[in-house]
């Protein structure tokens, strides 16, 4: 090993996304004034460094394989990331900055090779806390460990530890040596809190508090840990980490030859000893020889604090990005400022929080820090004080406040000069034109489709959904499913949607063209139910050309498909589109014709299709019948009448399951095709002694599915059910109770209560209820009411005269 000249090369070991590290990096760069800054990250992004001054963090570098955009990795940066502090320093001082990590061209290609071998990416090297940059995901590093998008475009990491390797945690080892049981708390006390000025400090004290550089101590600590756990290809960090460090050293050697002045290297603390002591060049060359390579493109994309949080699954994430952002942007009196902001937010929620509350909360944080032996109050003390004083012990309110402030959700922005695929630029133009800017915080959007802007916004959201960019999600029922002029959406822009846009760029250069091409591709392979749903989505997205292609495929597929279940599943969305397509001024005549054909085929095949079904199949068929009935109602006219006639045949068919027969009878009754007396007769036959109890229970279940109010208003039907239950033997009763419990348990509580009241009335007044014919009237109890009614009607005198 040969040590480097530390007077010329300054290696700054950091914890990714640490405000204390970021502030220390900025101060150290000001002190050493380097000619070149090397930063841990993919070298493919070197040409993007010049855009740093135009970006608003949080942002992320995105490296992807153009031929297969799903193979990608992210390198996020926040305002409090040390690497971002280095990039900002270089931009503001005109200093050259480059990335020095292993190229993404190798790491993404390695994933390809590993997946070809065993179906998944090889395990990432490991050895340390990801924020110190030894326990790495499988795609390079930088800006805090990258998020792996290879197998999950949403950025979830998929790397695993190499088999047989024990993972060492340098942060945990150092914390344990210092007597801490929580590595996060130790790091915050030692590093992150060092630049935070304690309350009451003078400017001179504040300067002394943060003047000493932490980097020599960090380098010494990491050297001790690496010596303890071992390093290199055979150590716990593995071959991948050794290759990364070999490439960093090669970049550093070249920089030392090309630059006369000082060089600053900003990297994960774990790598510092490897960059201060260099092996022979031949050893590094051997490690890097034969690495696979693929073509990679890189760009900047917006990021969010939510995706920087460890709770999101990001391996190098921090517990509290909002708190860290606050520590970085408010170095003086951070606790006081944080609690003042908490008080302001509570007042916005109409909570009585005064300045006295805030003062007492600050005092409590100081007392808690002293009791817990901490050098300064941290997030735990602030959270406890906010709950106890500001929220007056209301834990739920404190948790809501704390969670919002701790994450501190915010979304970054990139400049117009950032490299983008044409589809991204078209979407950005659409967003500006419709005044619909992407934001990380979920927000509700209500659209009026009678207005031009509302229709255009709706069409854009539906088109994005068709190409897999789920910016907006319908709120409540499916949008416009009832033919209204309103749509309700929830919008939330997530960073991984940028990658989804890049993936969708293969379909076209504009959102409309990409959605059109995507629909045509789906239509070529979709099954019949999927085709009808696709037709409905085309109407929502106002894709007339694609709709014609879908209708053509739908007509051909409907003529070939003989599966009655496919036909029944395909009909409801098609009928909705045929009925409500004109809400968007779309011509849906062709859809109506296809829907009528499908309904005719369902009518022809429904009667034999319901015979011989088991319980599960009968339940599915009853649900399908409901869907077809709603579709027939939407089509109306002769189509609805013919469908009800088909249900008439099912309602009296002995071979049909009880649940299907009961459902058919309920639909006929609700449609006015079955009068109360006929319905009572059918229920009586279904509940007769000659019918198996389970069939009767299924009949009742199908009949009452969705609503039991009919039994409340029709005591004759309730009496039939009551007599049937009273006549069951013990074994039969035990057999049907679970079925009836499932039926009545699905009703709302007020419905069950009303049915119970009606059942009790049967026991008091007779089988058919108090108002039924044949009830015995208590003349004595009725006499006052009769006299009062006669008096109101002027019949009392006449009655007296007649009596006289």
């Amino acid at each position: 090993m040969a040590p480097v000249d530390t007077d010329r090369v300054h290696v700054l070991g950091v914890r990714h996304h640490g405000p204390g590290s970021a502030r220390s990096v900025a101060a150290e760069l000001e002190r050493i004034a380097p000619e070149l800054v090397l930063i841990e990250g993919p070298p493919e992004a070197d040409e993007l460094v010049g855009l740093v001054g135009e970006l608003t963090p949080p942002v992320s570098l995105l490296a992807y394989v153009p031929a297969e955009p799903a193979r990608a990795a992210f390198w996020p940066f926040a305002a409090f990331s040390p690497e971002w502090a280095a990039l900002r320093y270089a931009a503001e001082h005109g200093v050259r900055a480059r990335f020095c990590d292993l190229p993404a061209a190798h790491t993404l290609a390695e994933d390809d090779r590993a997946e070809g071998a065993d179906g998944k990416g090889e395990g990432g090297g490991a050895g340390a806390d990801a924020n110190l940059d030894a326990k790495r995901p499988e795609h390079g590093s930088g800006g805090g460990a990258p998020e792996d998008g290879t197998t999950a475009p949403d950025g979830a990491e998929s790397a695993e530890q190499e088999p047989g390797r024990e993972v060492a945690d340098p942060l945990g080892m150092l914390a344990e040596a210092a007597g801490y049981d929580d590595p996060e708390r130790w790091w915050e006390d030692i590093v992150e809190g060092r630049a935070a000025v304690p309350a009451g400090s003078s400017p001179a004290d504040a300067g002394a508090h943060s003047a000493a550089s932490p980097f020599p101590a960090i380098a010494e600590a990491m050297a001790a840990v690496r010596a303890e756990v071992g390093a290199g290809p055979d150590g716990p960090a593995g071959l991948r980490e050794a290759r990364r460090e070999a490439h960093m050293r090669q970049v550093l050697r070249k920089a030392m030859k090309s630059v006369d002045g000082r060089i600053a290297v900003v990297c994960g603390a774990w790598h510092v000893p490897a960059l201060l002591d260099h092996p022979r060049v031949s050893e590094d060359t051997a490690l890097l020889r034969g690495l696979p390579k693929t073509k990679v493109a890189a760009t900047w994309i917006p990021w969010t604090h939510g995706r920087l949080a460890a709770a999101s699954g990001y391996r190098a994430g921090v517990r509290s990005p909002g708190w860290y952002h606050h520590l970085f942007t408010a170095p003086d009196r951070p606790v006081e400022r944080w609690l003042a902001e908490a008080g302001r937010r509570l007042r916005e929620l109409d909570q009585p929080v005064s300045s006295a509350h805030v003062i007492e909360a600050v005092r409590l944080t100081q007392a808690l820090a002293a009791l817990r032996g901490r050098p300064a109050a941290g997030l735990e003390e602030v959270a406890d004080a906010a709950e106890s004083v500001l929220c007056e012990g209301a834990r739920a309110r404190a948790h809501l406040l704390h969670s919002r402030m701790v994450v501190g959700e915010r979304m970054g922005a990139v400049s117009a000069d950032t490299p983008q695929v044409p589809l991204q630029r078209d979407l950005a133009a659409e967003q500006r034109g419709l005044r619909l800017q992407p934001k990380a915080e979920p927000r509700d959007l209500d659209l009026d489709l009678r207005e031009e802007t509302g229709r255009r916004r709706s069409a854009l959201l539906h088109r994005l959904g068709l190409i897999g960019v789920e910016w907006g999600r319908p709120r409540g029922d499916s949008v416009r499913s009832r033919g209204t002029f309103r749509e309700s959406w929830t919008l939330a822009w997530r960073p991984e949607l940028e990658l989804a846009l890049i993936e969708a760029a293969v379909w076209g250069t504009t959102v409309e063209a990409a959605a059109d091409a995507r629909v045509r591709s789906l239509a070529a392979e979709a099954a019949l139910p999927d085709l009808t749903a696709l037709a409905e989505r085309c109407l929502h997205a106002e894709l007339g050309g694609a709709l014609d292609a879908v209708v053509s495929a739908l007509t051909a597929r409907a003529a070939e498909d003989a599966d009655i279940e496919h036909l029944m599943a395909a009909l409801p969305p098609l009928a909705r589109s045929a009925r409500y397509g004109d809400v968007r001024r779309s011509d849906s005549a062709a859809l109506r014709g296809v829907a009528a054909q499908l309904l005719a085929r369902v009518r022809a095949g429904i009667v034999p299709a319901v015979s011989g079904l088991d319980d599960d199949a009968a339940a599915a068929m009853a649900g399908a019948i409901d869907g077809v009935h709603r579709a027939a109602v939407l089509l109306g006219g002769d189509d609805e009448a013919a469908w009800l006639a088909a249900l008439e045949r099912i309602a009296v068919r002995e071979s049909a399951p009880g649940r299907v027969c009961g459902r058919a009878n309920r639909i006929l009754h609700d449609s006015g095709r079955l009068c109360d007396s006929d319905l009572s007769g059918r229920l009586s036959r279904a509940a007769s002694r000659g019918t198996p109890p389970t069939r009767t229970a299924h009949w009742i279940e199908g009949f009452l599915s969705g609503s039991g109010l009919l039994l409340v208003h029709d005591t004759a039907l309730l009496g039939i059910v009551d007599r049937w239950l009273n006549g069951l033997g013990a074994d039969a009763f035990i057999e049907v109770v679970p079925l009836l419990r499932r039926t009545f348990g699905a009703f709302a509580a007020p419905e069950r209560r009303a049915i119970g009241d009606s059942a009790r009335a049967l026991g008091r007044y007779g089988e058919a209820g108090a108002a039924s014919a044949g009830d015995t009237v208590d003349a004595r109890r009725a006499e006052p009411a009769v006299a009062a009614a006669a008096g109101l009607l002027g019949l009392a005198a006449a009655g007296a005269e007649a009596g006289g």
Side-chain angles (χ1 to χ4, degrees), residues 79 118 140 177 258 265 290 292 315 322 326 340 367 385 398 553 577 597 613 684 698 702 755 766-767 792 799:
D118 59 9
S258 61
V265 183
R315 185 174 301 184
H326 175 75
S577 300
Q597 293 176 22
L613 300 178
S684 296
H698 283 137
I755 293 173
E767 193 175 272
L792 291 173

Side-chain angles (χ1 to χ4, degrees), residues 422-428 430 456 459-467 501 504-505 507-520 537-538 540-547:
L423 185 60
Q424 289 175 295
R425 295 192 180 280
D426 180 70
L427 176 58
E430 290 271 14
R456 290 177 57 199
L460 175 64
L461 294 173
H462 282 292
R463 289 169 181 175
L464 289 172
L466 283 167
I467 60 176
L501 274 173
W507 300 107
T509 57
T510 66
V511 176
E512 181 178 5
D516 186 283
R518 179 61 173 155
V519 166
R520 293 175 187 271
R537 297 181 71 183
C538 283
H540 294 167
E542 298 185 1
L543 298 174
L547 179 61

Side-chain angles (χ1 to χ4, degrees), residues 21-33 89 210-211 215:
S21 293
R23 192 173 291 109
S24 296
V25 164
E28 190 71 0
L29 292 177
E30 289 284 355
R31 185 184 70 81
I32 65 178
Y89 172 86
S210 58
F215 298 112

Side-chain angles (χ1 to χ4, degrees), residues 359-567:
I359 293 171
E360 289 303 317
V362 171
R363 290 174 177 171
L364 181 57
T365 61
Q366 296 169 348
L368 289 173
L371 286 172
R372 295 169 180 174
R374 304 196 65 175
L379 184 58
E380 292 180 4
E381 288 72 31
V382 169
D384 290 343
E387 178 180 338
S388 301
V389 180
L390 301 185
C391 299
E392 299 179 342
R395 180 164 296 182
R397 190 191 315 161
H399 177 73
L400 177 62
L401 173 70
H402 186 68
S403 61
R404 288 182 178 177
M405 292 186 67
V406 163
V407 174
E409 188 62 284
R410 65 180 62 232
M411 184 174 178
V414 299
S415 68
D417 297 328
T418 303
Q420 292 179 315
V421 297
L423 185 60
Q424 289 175 295
R425 295 192 180 280
D426 180 70
L427 176 58
E430 290 271 14
Q431 290 168 335
R432 289 193 298 270
L434 296 174
R435 299 186 301 280
L436 201 60
Q437 296 305 311
K439 296 182 179 180
E441 285 282 357
R443 59 189 177 115
D444 293 337
L445 178 68
D446 294 319
L447 301 177
D448 188 339
L449 302 182
R450 295 169 296 184
E451 299 176 353
E452 179 66 21
T453 299
R455 282 198 303 274
R456 290 177 57 199
R457 287 178 170 181
S458 173
L460 175 64
L461 294 173
H462 282 292
R463 289 169 181 175
L464 289 172
L466 283 167
I467 60 176
V469 182
E470 300 290 345
W471 178 19
R473 296 184 182 275
R475 196 169 71 250
D477 289 340
S478 60
V479 290
R480 205 179 44 78
S481 62
R482 299 293 180 265
T484 69
F485 286 97
R486 301 193 68 81
E487 281 186 357
S488 297
W489 296 81
T490 297
L491 304 185
W493 188 265
R494 304 183 306 281
E496 57 268 23
L497 295 181
E498 297 286 350
L499 182 59
L501 274 173
I502 295 173
E503 290 185 72
V506 299
W507 300 107
T509 57
T510 66
V511 176
E512 181 178 5
D516 186 283
R518 179 61 173 155
V519 166
R520 293 175 187 271
S521 175
L522 292 173
E525 304 292 338
L528 186 59
D530 298 329
L531 273 175
T532 56
L534 194 59
E536 186 176 29
R537 297 181 71 183
C538 283
L539 280 173
H540 294 167
E542 298 185 1
L543 298 174
L547 179 61
D548 293 339
V550 172
V551 171
S552 298
L554 185 59
T555 304
R557 207 70 48 82
E560 300 170 356
D561 201 329
D563 190 327
I564 189 68
E565 294 180 358
H566 281 184
L567 297 174

Side-chain angles (χ1 to χ4, degrees), residues 173-314:
M173 296 175 66
L174 293 171
E176 184 179 359
Y180 281 72
D181 58 0
D182 184 355
E184 291 282 335
R185 183 172 173 177
W186 172 79
W187 184 269
E188 289 188 14
D189 284 353
I190 300 302
V191 178
E192 304 305 342
R194 59 178 284 106
V197 181
S201 299
S202 67
D205 293 335
H209 182 71
S210 58
S213 171
F215 298 112
I218 291 175
E220 183 178 353
M222 287 299 110
V225 171
R226 287 174 70 106
E228 178 72 20
V229 303
D234 298 325
L239 179 59
R240 185 184 298 275
E241 292 303 303
R243 285 173 171 170
R244 293 179 59 220
E245 291 172 349
H247 187 271
M248 293 182 192
R249 288 191 292 265
Q250 285 195 344
V251 173
L252 180 55
R253 291 186 188 105
K254 293 178 181 178
M256 293 173 65
K257 293 178 181 178
S258 61
V259 173
D260 295 329
R262 291 177 174 176
I263 300 171
V265 183
V266 180
C267 64
W270 174 263
H271 302 302
V272 173
L275 299 184
L276 290 176
D277 290 309
H278 287 199
R280 290 191 297 271
V281 176
S282 59
E283 294 181 19
D284 287 342
T285 303
L287 274 175
L288 298 172
R289 184 179 295 117
L291 286 180
K293 190 174 183 179
T294 187
K295 184 177 181 181
V296 168
T299 187
W300 290 105
I301 62 171
W303 207 250
T304 65
H305 273 183
R307 293 307 304 274
L308 284 169
S312 71
Y314 173 33

Side-chain angles (χ1 to χ4, degrees), residues 650-686:
I650 295 174
V652 296
R653 191 175 180 86
E654 293 295 333
S655 62
R659 187 175 300 176
V660 173
C661 287
R663 196 67 203 144
N665 279 283
R666 177 61 181 269
I667 292 173
L668 291 170
H669 179 268
D670 291 348
S671 301
R673 295 286 290 258
L674 186 63
C675 65
D676 292 345
S677 59
D678 289 341
L679 177 60
S680 296
R682 292 183 181 182
L683 179 55
S684 296
R685 287 192 294 274

